[in-house]
Amino acid sequence: MTLVCYNKGCGEKFSHDQNREDSCVFHPGVPIFHDALKGWSCCKKRTTDFSEFLSIKGCTRGRHSNEKPKEPLLPEVLSQKGDVKPANGHEIIYQGPKSAEKLQKERPSADVPKTKLPHKVSASLAQALAKLDVSIKAQIQAKESQTVIHGTRCKNSGCKTTYQGPETDLEVCTHHPGGPVFHEGYKYWSCCCIKTIDFNAFLDQKGCTAGKHRWIPKQDKKKVACRHDWHQTGNSVYVTIYAKNASPEFSSIEANGTVLSCQIQFENDKIFKREYHLWGVVDVQQSSVNMVPTKVEVCLRKADSVSWGKLEDPNYKPELEPVEDTQADTIGWQQNPDWDIADDDISDSDDEWAYDTPENKAQKKNREQKKEKEENVRRKEVEEEMKRAMEEKRRAEEEKEALKRQEEEEGFEDMPDLE
């Protein structure tokens, strides 16, 4: 008698006489349909075409079976609402997803202290960081080995001293630690706020802080923006920040139930800072960070298995950053001046200060005259530069006006004559 095999993936006809241990080739698993891919849970082959999925050859051998697979038990639903009779005698409770109002009420506060997430560093990132450290050390050694060229100007703002030899390092550098501010026609430094309208007077303002000369430009950390992306699964949310060669030692990623705070230092001199106020609630204890050479991936475990509409909460409104009070900074500087003078900058020689001899007076007068001449030369150079800049600006404006008049004349010529 010919029978039909009901094993998954087989469907062949067989007889009991010819049914051996390896006659049937079937799939013992269940079908899987995910992201347009179709396959069986027992083998790794996947396809997007349904016909190819049906023709996937089985991965297990066994006997043919003519018994139909049992269908899952379903509750018996009656016409009256609430009259549900379970098929196996046990009560079945169906729980739907929580409403948006309930989720908002149960949402924890954003002020809860954050916890630093554990991070995993890949072996390839460790190798890349080791190579980067070697190259950075070589660059630093090369810069330190370079001798300062005579005539190099001090890099501190407001200081016009040029390098003349080792004795120049013993002089006190009077400079402006703040930055230049140009607002409503006024020009001043943010550290002392002495406002002026004349640009030459602004350049000639004496520094408000004393310290050492700096002949090599300072390399500060640059705050940059990074491209980031996110995706989610049923239980987790993945935030990907594309920061190359991130340093695990100088990076910190913290989170609480609703806020993710990222501070990542990468490529030695770049810093990425960002706070994400999340759309949903996460479980910090089961969240982690994975760091690879090309990116930093933050895996956040969902507290509720709810699909997120966005990464960040649309109801959150960021607070405005406080404006720096330059006047308060000036008062603070006046009360607590930042004198950064080392012992090497002050001479304690008795031969120079103990006796007020004519020779010492003559030397002092010569030094003052020489210094005054140098200041006059520098002032003349600055004035000449300013005059050249103003002349170039005036010429550019005249050319612009002439070009504008020419265009207007050409435009009027093209107009038709009125009758």
Side-chain angles (χ1 to χ4, degrees), residues 98-110:
K98 296 180 180 179
S99 62
E101 292 79 5
K102 189 173 183 181
L103 289 173
Q104 190 65 29
K105 289 180 180 178
E106 296 178 356
R107 184 180 178 87
S109 174

Side-chain angles (χ1 to χ4, degrees), residues 306-355:
V306 180
S307 179
W308 289 19
K310 294 182 179 180
L311 174 62
E312 297 186 78
D313 183 11
N315 297 323
Y316 171 73
K317 295 181 180 179
E319 298 180 358
L320 297 177
E321 295 183 358
V323 180
E324 295 183 359
D325 191 356
T326 55
Q327 186 176 2
D329 295 342
T330 307
I331 296 173
W333 171 79
Q334 292 174 353
Q335 294 177 353
N336 299 312
D338 186 13
W339 300 110
D340 186 16
I341 306 176
D343 295 335
D344 298 335
D345 295 334
I346 303 175
S347 176
D348 295 330
S349 174
D350 293 338
D351 296 336
E352 295 181 6
W353 302 101
Y355 304 100

